Amino acid sequence: MKLLRYGPAGQEKPGLLDDRGQIRDLSAVIPDLAGSSLLPETMERLMALDINALPVVAGAPQKDVRIGPCVGQVGKFICIGLNYADHAAETGATVPPEPVVFNKWTSAIVGPDDDVKIPRGSVKTDWEVELGVVIGKGGSYIDEADAMSHVAGFCVINDVSEREYQLERAGTWDKGKGCDTFGPLGPWLVTPDEVGDFDDLKMWLDVDGHRYQNGSTKTMVYKVPFLISYLSRFMSLQPGDVISTGTPPGVGMGQKPPKYLKGGEVMSLGIERLGVQTQRVIG
């Protein structure tokens, strides 16, 4: 299934994308795509629905109809740094002996096509296309072999980052990662059965039509099941938590010379089978 949330910001309704690319409204079935609606038993109930009996939402998604973040009421937005061998190489870093963990604040979350705003005074706002993992069943000390049973689905994330705040202003990375609008999620929450082999998905990101990132999840160092198990040693994972798993090479700070976002530019990014995001940069 491709699940989604549609409508004005703060008033999104749950929906499902049918095989003709139409939105089907799920408001009579679940209150939102959030929390307990992501539990395995609820997802099984959604899969058993007669899609053709659900109301059609007029308009084309991402054209006539705004798509919101694909998960509502996110509790934790957990990110993994330097998790692609080729990205670590472009930044001059070595692959860490354990995953690098940081946070994006949930106030950073926006829809996949909402504007991204450069923070006041920023000079190094950058992009990162990433595979997002959404937790469906919570838990602590999750076995790696059982980790995928805790996944509700996958999505596209743009881990927008202010590099000066992140790397040059002392303290943790978090201050350069969680600015408002720095966490576009979606467009779809795609269930694992539809994604298939998540260890070999093509990923890309363009700025004003120029391709900067062109990678694959196959160069991910710490894979999704390991990350879920690893993180659950340090915190309980709960339904609706989002894990952003790292980025392939091609980020702005890795260019020679480095390139950072400016107002008026347009980012377009996507992951195979998970959809595409498009954001206008507001300076």
Side-chain angles (χ1 to χ4, degrees):
M1 292 185 296
K2 288 186 174 74
L3 299 166
L4 57 98
R5 299 170 71 248
Y6 70 95
Q11 302 175 44
E12 292 93 348
K13 296 179 180 180
L16 181 154
L17 195 71
D18 69 17
D19 57 9
R20 288 176 287 179
Q22 301 175 116
I23 299 172
R24 299 282 182 155
D25 182 59
L26 287 174
S27 297
V29 184
I30 54 173
D32 196 359
L33 199 57
S36 62
S37 296
L38 298 165
L39 290 168
E41 52 267 34
T42 307
M43 300 297 275
E44 288 173 12
R45 184 159 57 94
L46 294 178
M47 286 186 179
L49 291 172
D50 177 3
I51 292 174
N52 293 321
L54 296 170
V56 174
V57 177
Q62 298 188 275
K63 182 180 178 184
D64 308 310
V65 181
R66 175 188 177 269
I67 301 299
C70 61
V71 186
Q73 303 168 39
V74 174
K76 295 191 286 296
F77 195 168
I78 311 158
C79 301
I80 307 298
L82 300 173
N83 195 31
Y84 282 67
D86 38 8
H87 170 57
E90 78 168 340
T91 62
T94 56
V95 173
E98 291 190 35
V100 173
V101 181
F102 61 92
N103 294 292
K104 290 179 90 77
W105 317 125
T106 56
S107 52
I109 294 172
V110 291
D113 305 314
D114 291 346
D115 294 340
V116 164
K117 298 176 183 176
I118 295 176
R120 196 175 297 175
S122 165
V123 293
K124 295 184 178 179
T125 296
D126 203 347
W127 57 80
E128 296 188 10
V129 59
E130 304 206 0
L131 176 69
V133 180
V134 178
I135 297 298
K137 180 175 70 173
S140 299
Y141 302 101
I142 297 166
D143 288 336
E144 188 174 344
D146 188 46
M148 291 308 298
S149 71
H150 292 259
V151 175
F154 296 91
C155 66
V156 181
I157 295 176
N158 190 354
D159 176 19
V160 186
S161 308
E162 211 300 340
R163 302 302 188 186
E164 184 191 23
Y165 300 177
Q166 175 191 355
L167 302 170
E168 301 172 33
R169 297 280 292 273
T172 65
W173 285 9
D174 306 63
K175 69 175 72 170
K177 293 286 189 171
C179 303
D180 288 357
T181 75
F182 273 24
L185 300 183
W188 330 124
L189 174 63
V190 186
T191 52
D193 61 297
E194 187 159 334
V195 174
D197 183 7
F198 51 84
D199 283 333
D200 192 9
L201 297 173
K202 294 183 176 117
M203 316 168 70
W204 65 92
L205 183 144
D206 300 344
V207 179
D208 279 354
H210 179 84
R211 181 140 302 177
Y212 286 96
Q213 292 190 273
N214 192 17
S216 168
T217 57
K218 68 185 176 184
T219 65
M220 190 184 289
V221 177
Y222 297 107
K223 305 294 187 181
V224 170
F226 175 82
L227 290 174
I228 292 169
S229 176
Y230 180 84
L231 291 170
S232 75
R233 301 176 204 170
F234 304 103
M235 67 196 86
S236 62
L237 296 177
Q238 295 152 344
D241 285 349
V242 175
I243 304 169
S244 199
T245 58
T247 197
V251 299
M253 74 172 178
Q255 305 302 309
K256 300 188 187 305
K259 163 157 177 40
Y260 296 110
L261 292 166
K262 302 189 295 289
E265 293 178 320
V266 174
M267 290 183 283
S268 179
L269 58 146
I271 300 178
E272 184 180 7
R273 297 197 286 279
L274 299 184
V276 174
Q277 302 183 351
T278 303
Q279 296 116 24
R280 180 168 295 279
V281 179
I282 305 299

